PDB file of all heavy atoms in Angstrom:
ATOM      1  N   ILE A 437    -142.875 105.546  92.685  1.00  0.00           N
ATOM      2  CA  ILE A 437    -142.520 106.570  91.701  1.00  0.00           C
ATOM      3  C   ILE A 437    -143.714 106.866  90.798  1.00  0.00           C
ATOM      4  O   ILE A 437    -144.003 108.025  90.464  1.00  0.00           O
ATOM      5  CB  ILE A 437    -141.305 106.112  90.864  1.00  0.00           C
ATOM      6  CG1 ILE A 437    -140.073 105.968  91.749  1.00  0.00           C
ATOM      7  CG2 ILE A 437    -141.032 107.079  89.714  1.00  0.00           C
ATOM      8  CD1 ILE A 437    -138.892 105.299  91.073  1.00  0.00           C
ATOM      9  N   LEU A 438    -144.422 105.808  90.401  1.00  0.00           N
ATOM     10  CA  LEU A 438    -145.620 105.967  89.561  1.00  0.00           C
ATOM     11  C   LEU A 438    -146.646 106.873  90.247  1.00  0.00           C
ATOM     12  O   LEU A 438    -147.215 107.788  89.622  1.00  0.00           O
ATOM     13  CB  LEU A 438    -146.235 104.594  89.281  1.00  0.00           C
ATOM     14  CG  LEU A 438    -147.695 104.584  88.795  1.00  0.00           C
ATOM     15  CD1 LEU A 438    -147.802 105.209  87.418  1.00  0.00           C
ATOM     16  CD2 LEU A 438    -148.247 103.167  88.783  1.00  0.00           C
ATOM     17  N   LYS A 439    -146.904 106.637  91.522  1.00  0.00           N
ATOM     18  CA  LYS A 439    -147.909 107.425  92.255  1.00  0.00           C
ATOM     19  C   LYS A 439    -147.526 108.902  92.306  1.00  0.00           C
ATOM     20  O   LYS A 439    -148.383 109.785  92.188  1.00  0.00           O
ATOM     21  CB  LYS A 439    -148.071 106.865  93.668  1.00  0.00           C
ATOM     22  CG  LYS A 439    -148.735 105.498  93.718  1.00  0.00           C
ATOM     23  CD  LYS A 439    -148.798 104.964  95.144  1.00  0.00           C
ATOM     24  CE  LYS A 439    -149.472 103.589  95.180  1.00  0.00           C
ATOM     25  NZ  LYS A 439    -149.483 103.033  96.563  1.00  0.00           N
ATOM     26  N   ILE A 440    -146.220 109.147  92.472  1.00  0.00           N
ATOM     27  CA  ILE A 440    -145.757 110.545  92.517  1.00  0.00           C
ATOM     28  C   ILE A 440    -145.983 111.229  91.166  1.00  0.00           C
ATOM     29  O   ILE A 440    -146.504 112.352  91.090  1.00  0.00           O
ATOM     30  CB  ILE A 440    -144.262 110.596  92.896  1.00  0.00           C
ATOM     31  CG1 ILE A 440    -144.067 110.088  94.326  1.00  0.00           C
ATOM     32  CG2 ILE A 440    -143.713 112.024  92.757  1.00  0.00           C
ATOM     33  CD1 ILE A 440    -142.613 109.829  94.689  1.00  0.00           C
ATOM     34  N   LYS A 441    -145.603 110.554  90.076  1.00  0.00           N
ATOM     35  CA  LYS A 441    -145.765 111.149  88.747  1.00  0.00           C
ATOM     36  C   LYS A 441    -147.234 111.285  88.367  1.00  0.00           C
ATOM     37  O   LYS A 441    -147.613 112.232  87.658  1.00  0.00           O
ATOM     38  CB  LYS A 441    -145.027 110.291  87.713  1.00  0.00           C
ATOM     39  CG  LYS A 441    -143.517 110.368  87.807  1.00  0.00           C
ATOM     40  CD  LYS A 441    -142.999 111.801  87.681  1.00  0.00           C
ATOM     41  CE  LYS A 441    -143.310 112.415  86.324  1.00  0.00           C
ATOM     42  NZ  LYS A 441    -142.763 113.773  86.169  1.00  0.00           N
ATOM     43  N   ARG A 442    -148.059 110.338  88.842  1.00  0.00           N
ATOM     44  CA  ARG A 442    -149.495 110.439  88.571  1.00  0.00           C
ATOM     45  C   ARG A 442    -150.073 111.681  89.259  1.00  0.00           C
ATOM     46  O   ARG A 442    -150.868 112.430  88.676  1.00  0.00           O
ATOM     47  CB  ARG A 442    -150.198 109.180  89.067  1.00  0.00           C
ATOM     48  CG  ARG A 442    -151.689 109.138  88.705  1.00  0.00           C
ATOM     49  CD  ARG A 442    -152.377 108.003  89.433  1.00  0.00           C
ATOM     50  NE  ARG A 442    -151.883 106.710  89.006  1.00  0.00           N
ATOM     51  CZ  ARG A 442    -151.922 105.617  89.772  1.00  0.00           C
ATOM     52  NH1 ARG A 442    -152.377 105.691  91.015  1.00  0.00           N
ATOM     53  NH2 ARG A 442    -151.494 104.459  89.301  1.00  0.00           N
ATOM     54  N   ARG A 443    -149.661 111.904  90.503  1.00  0.00           N
ATOM     55  CA  ARG A 443    -150.130 113.067  91.252  1.00  0.00           C
ATOM     56  C   ARG A 443    -149.658 114.359  90.581  1.00  0.00           C
ATOM     57  O   ARG A 443    -150.405 115.342  90.469  1.00  0.00           O
ATOM     58  CB  ARG A 443    -149.606 113.003  92.686  1.00  0.00           C
ATOM     59  CG  ARG A 443    -150.261 114.041  93.620  1.00  0.00           C
ATOM     60  CD  ARG A 443    -149.535 114.130  94.962  1.00  0.00           C
ATOM     61  NE  ARG A 443    -149.141 112.825  95.476  1.00  0.00           N
ATOM     62  CZ  ARG A 443    -148.275 112.680  96.465  1.00  0.00           C
ATOM     63  NH1 ARG A 443    -147.693 113.744  97.018  1.00  0.00           N
ATOM     64  NH2 ARG A 443    -147.956 111.471  96.902  1.00  0.00           N
ATOM     65  N   MET A 444    -148.394 114.353  90.112  1.00  0.00           N
ATOM     66  CA  MET A 444    -147.870 115.549  89.432  1.00  0.00           C
ATOM     67  C   MET A 444    -148.643 115.817  88.137  1.00  0.00           C
ATOM     68  O   MET A 444    -148.928 116.977  87.804  1.00  0.00           O
ATOM     69  CB  MET A 444    -146.386 115.352  89.118  1.00  0.00           C
ATOM     70  CG  MET A 444    -145.490 115.359  90.355  1.00  0.00           C
ATOM     71  SD  MET A 444    -143.746 115.064  89.947  1.00  0.00           S
ATOM     72  CE  MET A 444    -143.373 116.531  88.981  1.00  0.00           C
ATOM     73  N   HIS A 445    -148.978 114.732  87.406  1.00  0.00           N
ATOM     74  CA  HIS A 445    -149.715 114.893  86.159  1.00  0.00           C
ATOM     75  C   HIS A 445    -151.110 115.456  86.413  1.00  0.00           C
ATOM     76  O   HIS A 445    -151.560 116.374  85.697  1.00  0.00           O
ATOM     77  CB  HIS A 445    -149.821 113.535  85.454  1.00  0.00           C
ATOM     78  CG  HIS A 445    -150.674 113.557  84.229  1.00  0.00           C
ATOM     79  ND1 HIS A 445    -150.258 114.121  83.035  1.00  0.00           N
ATOM     80  CD2 HIS A 445    -151.947 113.080  84.010  1.00  0.00           C
ATOM     81  CE1 HIS A 445    -151.220 113.999  82.139  1.00  0.00           C
ATOM     82  NE2 HIS A 445    -152.254 113.371  82.708  1.00  0.00           N
ATOM     83  N   GLU A 446    -151.766 114.914  87.435  1.00  0.00           N
ATOM     84  CA  GLU A 446    -153.135 115.369  87.742  1.00  0.00           C
ATOM     85  C   GLU A 446    -153.132 116.806  88.261  1.00  0.00           C
ATOM     86  O   GLU A 446    -154.083 117.561  88.019  1.00  0.00           O
ATOM     87  CB  GLU A 446    -153.769 114.425  88.769  1.00  0.00           C
ATOM     88  CG  GLU A 446    -154.054 113.025  88.203  1.00  0.00           C
ATOM     89  CD  GLU A 446    -154.470 112.032  89.269  1.00  0.00           C
ATOM     90  OE1 GLU A 446    -154.394 112.381  90.479  1.00  0.00           O
ATOM     91  OE2 GLU A 446    -154.863 110.903  88.919  1.00  0.00           O
ATOM     92  N   SER A 447    -152.076 117.172  88.986  1.00  0.00           N
ATOM     93  CA  SER A 447    -151.988 118.537  89.538  1.00  0.00           C
ATOM     94  C   SER A 447    -151.262 119.500  88.605  1.00  0.00           C
ATOM     95  O   SER A 447    -151.101 120.685  88.940  1.00  0.00           O
ATOM     96  CB  SER A 447    -151.258 118.502  90.895  1.00  0.00           C
ATOM     97  OG  SER A 447    -151.890 117.626  91.793  1.00  0.00           O
ATOM     98  N   ARG A 448    -150.796 118.973  87.474  1.00  0.00           N
ATOM     99  CA  ARG A 448    -150.045 119.765  86.497  1.00  0.00           C
ATOM    100  C   ARG A 448    -148.835 120.451  87.129  1.00  0.00           C
ATOM    101  O   ARG A 448    -148.583 121.639  86.940  1.00  0.00           O
ATOM    102  CB  ARG A 448    -150.955 120.792  85.833  1.00  0.00           C
ATOM    103  CG  ARG A 448    -152.080 120.130  85.041  1.00  0.00           C
ATOM    104  CD  ARG A 448    -152.894 121.134  84.272  1.00  0.00           C
ATOM    105  NE  ARG A 448    -153.937 120.457  83.496  1.00  0.00           N
ATOM    106  CZ  ARG A 448    -154.802 121.086  82.689  1.00  0.00           C
ATOM    107  NH1 ARG A 448    -154.723 122.423  82.548  1.00  0.00           N
ATOM    108  NH2 ARG A 448    -155.718 120.405  82.034  1.00  0.00           N
ATOM    109  N   VAL A 449    -148.106 119.659  87.887  1.00  0.00           N
ATOM    110  CA  VAL A 449    -146.888 120.130  88.549  1.00  0.00           C
ATOM    111  C   VAL A 449    -145.685 119.600  87.783  1.00  0.00           C
ATOM    112  O   VAL A 449    -145.680 118.440  87.354  1.00  0.00           O
ATOM    113  CB  VAL A 449    -146.844 119.644  90.021  1.00  0.00           C
ATOM    114  CG1 VAL A 449    -145.524 120.014  90.673  1.00  0.00           C
ATOM    115  CG2 VAL A 449    -148.016 120.228  90.806  1.00  0.00           C
ATOM    116  N   HIS A 450    -144.640 120.435  87.624  1.00  0.00           N
ATOM    117  CA  HIS A 450    -143.463 120.020  86.865  1.00  0.00           C
ATOM    118  C   HIS A 450    -142.195 120.402  87.617  1.00  0.00           C
ATOM    119  O   HIS A 450    -142.169 121.382  88.377  1.00  0.00           O
ATOM    120  CB  HIS A 450    -143.445 120.681  85.483  1.00  0.00           C
ATOM    121  CG  HIS A 450    -144.673 120.394  84.678  1.00  0.00           C
ATOM    122  ND1 HIS A 450    -144.874 119.202  84.030  1.00  0.00           N
ATOM    123  CD2 HIS A 450    -145.781 121.172  84.423  1.00  0.00           C
ATOM    124  CE1 HIS A 450    -146.042 119.224  83.407  1.00  0.00           C
ATOM    125  NE2 HIS A 450    -146.622 120.419  83.624  1.00  0.00           N
ATOM    126  N   PHE A 451    -141.138 119.639  87.371  1.00  0.00           N
ATOM    127  CA  PHE A 451    -139.825 119.966  87.921  1.00  0.00           C
ATOM    128  C   PHE A 451    -139.110 120.913  86.957  1.00  0.00           C
ATOM    129  O   PHE A 451    -139.451 121.033  85.782  1.00  0.00           O
ATOM    130  CB  PHE A 451    -138.978 118.709  88.105  1.00  0.00           C
ATOM    131  CG  PHE A 451    -139.504 117.761  89.152  1.00  0.00           C
ATOM    132  CD1 PHE A 451    -139.599 116.397  88.884  1.00  0.00           C
ATOM    133  CD2 PHE A 451    -139.891 118.227  90.402  1.00  0.00           C
ATOM    134  CE1 PHE A 451    -140.065 115.519  89.837  1.00  0.00           C
ATOM    135  CE2 PHE A 451    -140.369 117.347  91.373  1.00  0.00           C
ATOM    136  CZ  PHE A 451    -140.461 115.991  91.085  1.00  0.00           C
ATOM    137  N   THR A 452    -138.069 121.535  87.458  1.00  0.00           N
ATOM    138  CA  THR A 452    -137.250 122.402  86.602  1.00  0.00           C
ATOM    139  C   THR A 452    -136.398 121.523  85.676  1.00  0.00           C
ATOM    140  O   THR A 452    -136.259 120.306  85.889  1.00  0.00           O
ATOM    141  CB  THR A 452    -136.309 123.273  87.457  1.00  0.00           C
ATOM    142  OG1 THR A 452    -135.406 122.418  88.166  1.00  0.00           O
ATOM    143  CG2 THR A 452    -137.101 124.127  88.450  1.00  0.00           C
ATOM    144  N   ASN A 453    -135.815 122.151  84.659  1.00  0.00           N
ATOM    145  CA  ASN A 453    -134.964 121.401  83.727  1.00  0.00           C
ATOM    146  C   ASN A 453    -133.759 120.784  84.441  1.00  0.00           C
ATOM    147  O   ASN A 453    -133.361 119.647  84.150  1.00  0.00           O
ATOM    148  CB  ASN A 453    -134.482 122.321  82.606  1.00  0.00           C
ATOM    149  CG  ASN A 453    -135.609 122.692  81.659  1.00  0.00           C
ATOM    150  OD1 ASN A 453    -136.595 121.958  81.528  1.00  0.00           O
ATOM    151  ND2 ASN A 453    -135.474 123.840  81.001  1.00  0.00           N
ATOM    152  N   ASP A 454    -133.182 121.536  85.397  1.00  0.00           N
ATOM    153  CA  ASP A 454    -132.039 121.009  86.151  1.00  0.00           C
ATOM    154  C   ASP A 454    -132.450 119.779  86.968  1.00  0.00           C
ATOM    155  O   ASP A 454    -131.710 118.790  87.026  1.00  0.00           O
ATOM    156  CB  ASP A 454    -131.471 122.088  87.094  1.00  0.00           C
ATOM    157  CG  ASP A 454    -130.712 123.165  86.333  1.00  0.00           C
ATOM    158  OD1 ASP A 454    -130.344 122.905  85.162  1.00  0.00           O
ATOM    159  OD2 ASP A 454    -130.499 124.249  86.895  1.00  0.00           O
ATOM    160  N   ALA A 455    -133.612 119.859  87.611  1.00  0.00           N
ATOM    161  CA  ALA A 455    -134.104 118.738  88.424  1.00  0.00           C
ATOM    162  C   ALA A 455    -134.345 117.514  87.547  1.00  0.00           C
ATOM    163  O   ALA A 455    -133.984 116.384  87.917  1.00  0.00           O
ATOM    164  CB  ALA A 455    -135.380 119.127  89.156  1.00  0.00           C
ATOM    165  N   ASN A 456    -134.950 117.729  86.379  1.00  0.00           N
ATOM    166  CA  ASN A 456    -135.210 116.609  85.457  1.00  0.00           C
ATOM    167  C   ASN A 456    -133.906 115.978  84.972  1.00  0.00           C
ATOM    168  O   ASN A 456    -133.806 114.749  84.837  1.00  0.00           O
ATOM    169  CB  ASN A 456    -136.025 117.098  84.257  1.00  0.00           C
ATOM    170  CG  ASN A 456    -137.501 117.250  84.600  1.00  0.00           C
ATOM    171  OD1 ASN A 456    -138.047 116.478  85.386  1.00  0.00           O
ATOM    172  ND2 ASN A 456    -138.153 118.247  83.998  1.00  0.00           N
ATOM    173  N   HIS A 457    -132.906 116.837  84.693  1.00  0.00           N
ATOM    174  CA  HIS A 457    -131.609 116.309  84.251  1.00  0.00           C
ATOM    175  C   HIS A 457    -130.972 115.450  85.351  1.00  0.00           C
ATOM    176  O   HIS A 457    -130.424 114.372  85.082  1.00  0.00           O
ATOM    177  CB  HIS A 457    -130.671 117.467  83.889  1.00  0.00           C
ATOM    178  CG  HIS A 457    -129.249 117.027  83.662  1.00  0.00           C
ATOM    179  ND1 HIS A 457    -128.858 116.264  82.579  1.00  0.00           N
ATOM    180  CD2 HIS A 457    -128.121 117.224  84.427  1.00  0.00           C
ATOM    181  CE1 HIS A 457    -127.567 116.004  82.663  1.00  0.00           C
ATOM    182  NE2 HIS A 457    -127.084 116.590  83.772  1.00  0.00           N
TER     183      HIS A 457
END
Side-chain angles (χ1 to χ4, degrees):
I437 296 170
L438 162 67
K439 291 177 180 177
I440 294 168
K441 289 303 297 183
R442 186 190 295 154
R443 191 191 319 166
M444 290 178 65
H445 174 75
E446 291 171 352
S447 304
R448 297 186 178 181
V449 175
H450 303 282
F451 294 133
T452 63
N453 289 335
D454 287 342
N456 281 325
H457 170 69

